[in-house]
Amino acid sequence: MDFKFIALSCALLVYLTSADAYFITVDAHAEECFFDKVETGTKMGLMFEIAEGGFLDIDVKIIGPDGKVIHQGERETSGKYTFAAHTSGVYTYCFSNQMSTMTPKVVMFNMEIGETPKEEVAAGTDEGHQNQLEQMIKELSSSLTNVKHEQEYMQVRDRIHRSINESTNSRVVMWAFFEALVLIVMTVGQVYYLKRFFEVRRVV
C-alpha cells in the first residue's frame, strides 16, 4: 500500500510539474506559433486566455501535420479545445495579432498532450492490474491538472477585472474632478458677471 501511495505521489508530481501555463507577448501585426510532435490517437488540449492588451482578443489556429485546419477562431478572448491526433506528425498552434495596429497582447496558454494509446491487456493479469492503476493515476492527474489550470485562469481573470475596475474608477474620479472644476469656474464667472451687472458707475 505504501509503495502504491509513493508511486501515485511521484506520478502526480511529475505530471503536474510538466503542466505549467506559459505567458507570451504577441506584438502588433505579429504571429507566434508553437509545435508538438505526437502519434496518432493522442489526445491534445489547448487552453488559452488573453491577459492584457487592447480588447483582450486574438486569432487562434490549430493545424495538423497534413496542413488540415483543426480549429480556427477570430478575435477570441479565451478558449479550450480538445481533440485527438488524426495522424502522426507535428501539430502547429498559432496566436495571431495581425488585426492589431499597435497594441501587443499577452496570452496565457497551455497545450496538454496525453499518453500515446497502447494496446489493451487482459484485465485478469498482473499487467492488466498495473495498467488499471496507471489509468487511475492518469485520471486523477488529469483532474488535478484541470483544477490547477482553472486556478490559473481565475487569477488571470481576477487581474483583468481588477485592471478594468481601477481604470473605470480613475475615469470616474477624473470626470468628477473635471465637473467640479467646471462648476467652480462657472460660479466664479457668474458672481463676477452679476457684480459687474449691478455695479453703480460714478460719473465724474
Side-chain angles (χ1 to χ4, degrees), residues 1-177:
M1 185 67 181
D2 294 337
F3 175 75
K4 290 183 179 180
F5 177 77
I6 294 174
L8 176 63
S9 301
C10 292
L12 291 178
L13 181 61
V14 171
Y15 191 88
L16 289 177
T17 52
S18 61
D20 292 332
Y22 299 96
F23 285 85
I24 61 169
T25 300
V26 185
D27 295 326
H29 299 296
E31 184 179 54
E32 296 288 342
C33 294
F34 301 87
F35 310 90
D36 279 307
K37 185 176 182 180
V38 298
E39 300 296 329
T40 304
T42 303
K43 290 185 178 180
M44 305 175 68
L46 174 64
M47 293 180 288
F48 70 93
E49 180 93 18
I50 312 304
E52 296 177 10
F55 294 102
L56 302 176
D57 57 353
I58 203 163
D59 297 339
V60 183
K61 183 185 292 185
I62 304 175
I63 306 173
D66 54 357
K68 178 182 178 182
V69 177
I70 299 172
H71 171 77
Q72 184 173 4
E74 296 181 355
R75 298 182 179 274
E76 297 187 345
T77 58
S78 63
K80 181 177 181 180
Y81 307 103
T82 303
F83 59 96
H86 61 277
T87 183
S88 300
V90 178
Y91 286 77
T92 306
Y93 41 102
C94 301
F95 300 99
S96 175
N97 196 21
Q98 299 282 353
M99 74 289 193
S100 180
T101 56
M102 62 175 62
T103 307
K105 307 290 176 62
V106 178
V107 184
M108 182 187 74
F109 76 96
N110 176 268
M111 172 59 83
E112 291 184 8
I113 300 177
E115 294 290 332
T116 303
K118 299 179 181 179
E119 295 182 359
E120 294 185 358
V121 183
T125 62
D126 293 337
E127 189 174 355
H129 291 299
Q130 183 178 357
N131 288 344
Q132 288 181 355
L133 179 60
E134 290 179 357
Q135 185 64 28
M136 293 174 60
I137 292 174
K138 291 176 183 177
E139 292 177 357
L140 183 57
S141 298
S142 178
S143 300
L144 291 176
T145 302
N146 290 334
V147 172
K148 181 175 181 287
H149 288 159
E150 286 298 326
Q151 290 178 341
E152 292 173 346
Y153 290 137
M154 289 302 295
Q155 290 176 356
V156 172
R157 293 190 185 103
D158 178 68
R159 185 170 65 181
I160 293 172
H161 293 162
R162 184 169 62 249
S163 177
I164 294 175
N165 290 337
E166 291 176 353
S167 176
T168 303
N169 182 64
S170 62
R171 291 180 182 180
V172 170
V173 171
M174 291 298 295
W175 181 250
F177 178 77

Side-chain angles (χ1 to χ4, degrees), residues 182-192:
V182 170
L183 288 175
I184 293 173
V185 172
M186 290 181 63
T187 302
V188 173
Q190 288 178 353
V191 170
Y192 178 76

